[in-house]
Amino acid sequence: HRPLRDRMAAKRLLFFGALRENKGLDLLLQAMDLLPGYSLTIAGEPTEPAFFHHRVRPQVERLRAKGYAIDLLADYLSESQVDALFARTSAAVLPYAKTFTAQSGVVFMALAHRVPVIASDVAGLGDILGEFGIGTTFHTRLPAALAEAVRRLFEQTNADDLGDQIADARRSYSWSNSAAATLHAYDTLLGIRKEHDGSAIESIAIR
């Protein structure tokens, strides 16, 4: 892994997981208008086609037209691709809506890959981030509030201290618990799909 300080200097944000309305991707895309100098990678399966085609893709094209670097990976990713994606990420963004009530596996994947998190205060995310200090949260569902949380992480947080806090959080879990959390994220949050040719090669279905 590259040092966290170097990765954060790149200002590469990641939205990872199912592209559906209650994950708050449209809010993040609106917030990007307020974040010049940041890039965004969106990686996940569009599980709500109308939301994706009418609200996500148009905003991606609008931002690209204004010069923002937005990568859209709306497809399956192999495990090695997922690892490479997190390895170049500065921070993962989880702008989930209040209607998102499940436990997020993405926050544990970010922790496993030593990536800080910016998240809304729903589904226990605020508790996790508050306990371990592995990122920043926002409470008001406005683009400006999310953008402020992003800037707070990058401009007011010492990367070395943040790296230490992430390491402490990783140590707070036993190896078996950390492995179980990661496998749970892959197996249940993301799902695993066999290749159609019946081979043993598996791909991650980002749900």
Side-chain angles (χ1 to χ4, degrees), residues 3-165:
L4 181 58
R5 178 177 295 278
D6 293 346
R7 282 187 283 127
M8 290 188 70
K11 295 185 176 181
R12 293 192 185 100
L13 304 177
L14 172 65
F15 178 94
F16 183 81
L19 308 187
R20 63 176 188 264
E21 188 171 1
N22 72 349
K23 301 291 282 295
L25 177 56
D26 52 341
L27 181 68
L28 174 55
L29 289 168
Q30 293 171 49
M32 288 300 295
D33 263 326
L34 307 174
L35 293 167
Y38 291 81
S39 63
L40 172 65
T41 296
I42 302 164
E45 181 185 6
T47 57
E48 296 175 352
F51 171 71
F52 177 72
H53 291 294
H54 298 300
R55 293 174 59 183
V56 173
R57 190 175 287 281
Q59 289 195 70
V60 168
E61 296 303 328
R62 176 183 60 81
L63 288 165
R64 286 173 172 170
K66 295 174 70 172
Y68 286 86
I70 311 291
D71 292 331
L72 180 58
L73 307 175
D75 204 348
Y76 292 96
L77 297 181
S78 69
E79 186 172 346
S80 62
Q81 288 174 310
V82 171
D83 289 342
L85 184 62
F86 274 90
R88 64 176 182 265
T89 291
S90 305
V93 187
L94 285 63
Y96 299 167
K98 289 182 179 179
T99 52
F100 183 90
T101 56
Q103 184 177 25
S104 173
V106 177
V107 68
F108 294 106
M109 293 185 69
L111 187 60
H113 289 87
R114 299 177 175 84
V115 171
V117 175
I118 301 148
S120 54
D121 188 15
V122 302
L125 292 172
D127 293 337
I128 295 172
L129 270 65
E131 179 181 359
F132 297 112
I134 59 171
T136 56
T137 59
F138 67 100
H139 307 283
T140 306
R141 293 198 62 74
L142 293 172
L146 173 51
E148 190 277 332
V150 172
R151 288 192 294 267
R152 186 160 22 101
L153 179 72
F154 283 85
E155 297 173 9
Q156 300 179 23
T157 304
N158 181 282
D160 294 332
D161 292 342
L162 183 59
D164 290 342
Q165 289 159 196

